[in-house]
Amino acid sequence: MEQQVGVTFPRDFKEITEAYGSGAFSSFLFLINPFEEYEGYDYLSDITRITDADAELSKQTFFTQSPYPNKSGLFPLAATDNGDTIYFKPSQDIDCYDLYLYDSRRGNNEVYNMTLADFIGEWASGQLKSKILEAPDNTDFQQ
């Protein structure tokens, strides 16, 4: 799938999706899983829908960084039930990268210098300092 979208995914993102598959952390935070294979799911269609919407939002100065498909543009890794999206820059090191959290309702954004695994861990434990995401009510993972 990486070749099809032209993106090398972060190593920990691959490990998380391999360990947990598709589902939601605390019934709220969903990984956009490019490795999922089940009837009726089309990752390329899903990611195209998201990135097309991002392209429209970027025209309205919603993004402080360029979104994909720009060469160093932000690429979506995860989303919340509220429609917030977590991005990374494919041009960064796959082991050490920044995450970009965009609030779909108000256009706010936050940047975290941590991997997705660290982000999920800090968020699930209530240690993540965010004005966009509240700490979860539970720490379950549901498929």
Short mmCIF file of all heavy atoms in Angstrom, two decimals, residues 59-82:
data_model
loop_
_atom_site.label_atom_id
_atom_site.label_comp_id
_atom_site.label_asym_id
_atom_site.label_seq_id
_atom_site.Cartn_x
_atom_site.Cartn_y
_atom_site.Cartn_z
N LYS A 59 -7.35 25.45 0.99
CA LYS A 59 -7.67 26.68 0.24
C LYS A 59 -8.22 27.76 1.17
O LYS A 59 -8.16 28.93 0.86
CB LYS A 59 -8.68 26.38 -0.86
CG LYS A 59 -8.14 25.50 -1.96
CD LYS A 59 -9.24 25.17 -2.95
CE LYS A 59 -8.76 24.17 -3.98
NZ LYS A 59 -9.86 23.75 -4.88
N GLN A 60 -8.75 27.34 2.30
CA GLN A 60 -9.34 28.27 3.27
C GLN A 60 -8.37 28.56 4.42
O GLN A 60 -8.77 28.99 5.49
CB GLN A 60 -10.64 27.68 3.83
CG GLN A 60 -11.66 27.36 2.79
CD GLN A 60 -12.78 26.49 3.35
OE1 GLN A 60 -13.04 26.47 4.53
NE2 GLN A 60 -13.43 25.75 2.46
N THR A 61 -7.10 28.29 4.20
CA THR A 61 -6.03 28.47 5.20
C THR A 61 -6.30 27.72 6.49
O THR A 61 -5.91 28.15 7.57
CB THR A 61 -5.74 29.96 5.48
OG1 THR A 61 -6.89 30.56 6.07
CG2 THR A 61 -5.33 30.70 4.22
N PHE A 62 -6.98 26.59 6.39
CA PHE A 62 -7.23 25.74 7.55
C PHE A 62 -5.92 25.13 8.06
O PHE A 62 -5.71 25.02 9.25
CB PHE A 62 -8.22 24.63 7.15
CG PHE A 62 -8.57 23.66 8.26
CD1 PHE A 62 -9.52 23.98 9.20
CD2 PHE A 62 -7.94 22.42 8.34
CE1 PHE A 62 -9.85 23.09 10.21
CE2 PHE A 62 -8.27 21.53 9.33
CZ PHE A 62 -9.22 21.86 10.28
N PHE A 63 -5.07 24.72 7.13
CA PHE A 63 -3.81 24.06 7.49
C PHE A 63 -2.68 25.06 7.62
O PHE A 63 -2.57 25.98 6.82
CB PHE A 63 -3.43 23.03 6.42
CG PHE A 63 -4.27 21.79 6.45
CD1 PHE A 63 -5.39 21.67 5.66
CD2 PHE A 63 -3.93 20.73 7.27
CE1 PHE A 63 -6.17 20.54 5.68
CE2 PHE A 63 -4.70 19.59 7.31
CZ PHE A 63 -5.82 19.49 6.51
N THR A 64 -1.84 24.86 8.64
CA THR A 64 -0.63 25.66 8.76
C THR A 64 0.51 24.99 7.99
O THR A 64 1.54 25.60 7.78
CB THR A 64 -0.22 25.82 10.24
OG1 THR A 64 -0.05 24.53 10.82
CG2 THR A 64 -1.28 26.60 11.01
N GLN A 65 0.31 23.75 7.60
CA GLN A 65 1.26 22.99 6.77
C GLN A 65 0.49 22.53 5.53
O GLN A 65 -0.72 22.35 5.59
CB GLN A 65 1.76 21.75 7.53
CG GLN A 65 2.39 22.01 8.86
CD GLN A 65 3.84 22.37 8.71
OE1 GLN A 65 4.51 21.88 7.83
NE2 GLN A 65 4.32 23.23 9.57
N SER A 66 1.20 22.29 4.45
CA SER A 66 0.54 21.77 3.25
C SER A 66 0.09 20.34 3.48
O SER A 66 0.83 19.55 4.06
CB SER A 66 1.51 21.79 2.07
OG SER A 66 1.87 23.10 1.75
N PRO A 67 -1.09 19.99 3.02
CA PRO A 67 -1.52 18.59 3.13
C PRO A 67 -1.03 17.75 1.95
O PRO A 67 -0.58 18.30 0.93
CB PRO A 67 -3.05 18.70 3.12
CG PRO A 67 -3.34 19.93 2.31
CD PRO A 67 -2.18 20.86 2.57
N TYR A 68 -1.07 16.45 2.09
CA TYR A 68 -0.81 15.51 1.02
C TYR A 68 -1.79 15.83 -0.10
O TYR A 68 -2.91 16.24 0.18
CB TYR A 68 -1.04 14.09 1.57
CG TYR A 68 -0.90 12.97 0.59
CD1 TYR A 68 0.33 12.40 0.36
CD2 TYR A 68 -2.01 12.48 -0.09
CE1 TYR A 68 0.46 11.36 -0.54
CE2 TYR A 68 -1.88 11.44 -0.99
CZ TYR A 68 -0.64 10.89 -1.21
OH TYR A 68 -0.53 9.86 -2.10
N PRO A 69 -1.46 15.76 -1.36
CA PRO A 69 -0.34 15.05 -1.96
C PRO A 69 0.91 15.87 -2.19
O PRO A 69 1.80 15.42 -2.92
CB PRO A 69 -0.92 14.57 -3.29
CG PRO A 69 -1.88 15.61 -3.69
CD PRO A 69 -2.44 16.15 -2.39
N ASN A 70 1.03 17.08 -1.63
CA ASN A 70 2.30 17.79 -1.73
C ASN A 70 3.41 16.90 -1.19
O ASN A 70 3.20 16.17 -0.21
CB ASN A 70 2.26 19.10 -0.97
CG ASN A 70 1.32 20.11 -1.63
OD1 ASN A 70 1.01 19.99 -2.81
ND2 ASN A 70 0.86 21.07 -0.87
N LYS A 71 4.56 16.96 -1.81
CA LYS A 71 5.66 16.03 -1.50
C LYS A 71 5.95 15.93 0.00
O LYS A 71 6.13 14.85 0.53
CB LYS A 71 6.92 16.41 -2.26
CG LYS A 71 8.04 15.44 -2.05
CD LYS A 71 9.24 15.77 -2.88
CE LYS A 71 10.31 14.72 -2.57
NZ LYS A 71 11.43 14.81 -3.44
N SER A 72 5.98 17.05 0.70
CA SER A 72 6.24 17.01 2.14
C SER A 72 4.97 17.33 2.92
O SER A 72 5.03 17.76 4.07
CB SER A 72 7.37 17.97 2.51
OG SER A 72 6.97 19.29 2.21
N GLY A 73 3.82 17.10 2.30
CA GLY A 73 2.55 17.43 2.92
C GLY A 73 2.14 16.47 4.01
O GLY A 73 2.62 15.34 4.11
N LEU A 74 1.23 16.92 4.85
CA LEU A 74 0.72 16.12 5.97
C LEU A 74 -0.14 14.97 5.45
O LEU A 74 -0.99 15.16 4.59
CB LEU A 74 -0.10 17.00 6.91
CG LEU A 74 0.62 18.16 7.56
CD1 LEU A 74 -0.34 18.95 8.43
CD2 LEU A 74 1.82 17.70 8.36
N PHE A 75 0.08 13.78 6.03
CA PHE A 75 -0.65 12.58 5.62
C PHE A 75 -1.42 12.04 6.83
O PHE A 75 -0.86 11.88 7.91
CB PHE A 75 0.32 11.52 5.10
CG PHE A 75 -0.38 10.39 4.40
CD1 PHE A 75 -0.68 10.48 3.05
CD2 PHE A 75 -0.74 9.25 5.10
CE1 PHE A 75 -1.33 9.44 2.40
CE2 PHE A 75 -1.39 8.22 4.47
CZ PHE A 75 -1.70 8.30 3.11
N PRO A 76 -2.71 11.73 6.67
CA PRO A 76 -3.52 11.29 7.81
C PRO A 76 -3.20 9.86 8.28
O PRO A 76 -3.09 8.95 7.46
CB PRO A 76 -4.96 11.38 7.28
CG PRO A 76 -4.84 11.33 5.81
CD PRO A 76 -3.50 11.86 5.45
N LEU A 77 -3.06 9.72 9.59
CA LEU A 77 -2.83 8.41 10.22
C LEU A 77 -4.01 7.94 11.05
O LEU A 77 -4.26 6.75 11.17
CB LEU A 77 -1.61 8.46 11.14
CG LEU A 77 -0.24 8.60 10.53
CD1 LEU A 77 0.81 8.65 11.63
CD2 LEU A 77 0.05 7.47 9.57
N ALA A 78 -4.71 8.88 11.67
CA ALA A 78 -5.78 8.53 12.60
C ALA A 78 -6.80 9.65 12.64
O ALA A 78 -6.53 10.78 12.23
CB ALA A 78 -5.20 8.29 14.00
N ALA A 79 -7.98 9.31 13.15
CA ALA A 79 -9.06 10.29 13.26
C ALA A 79 -9.86 9.99 14.52
O ALA A 79 -9.79 8.89 15.08
CB ALA A 79 -9.96 10.24 12.03
N THR A 80 -10.61 10.99 14.95
CA THR A 80 -11.45 10.81 16.14
C THR A 80 -12.92 10.80 15.73
O THR A 80 -13.27 11.18 14.61
CB THR A 80 -11.24 11.95 17.15
OG1 THR A 80 -11.80 13.16 16.61
CG2 THR A 80 -9.78 12.13 17.50
N ASP A 81 -13.74 10.40 16.66
CA ASP A 81 -15.18 10.41 16.46
C ASP A 81 -15.70 11.83 16.22
O ASP A 81 -16.77 12.01 15.64
CB ASP A 81 -15.88 9.83 17.69
CG ASP A 81 -16.68 8.59 17.36
OD1 ASP A 81 -16.64 8.12 16.21
OD2 ASP A 81 -17.36 8.09 18.27
N ASN A 82 -14.96 12.83 16.67
CA ASN A 82 -15.36 14.22 16.47
C ASN A 82 -14.94 14.76 15.11
O ASN A 82 -15.23 15.91 14.79
CB ASN A 82 -14.74 15.13 17.55
CG ASN A 82 -15.34 14.89 18.90
OD1 ASN A 82 -16.43 14.34 19.02
ND2 ASN A 82 -14.64 15.30 19.94
#
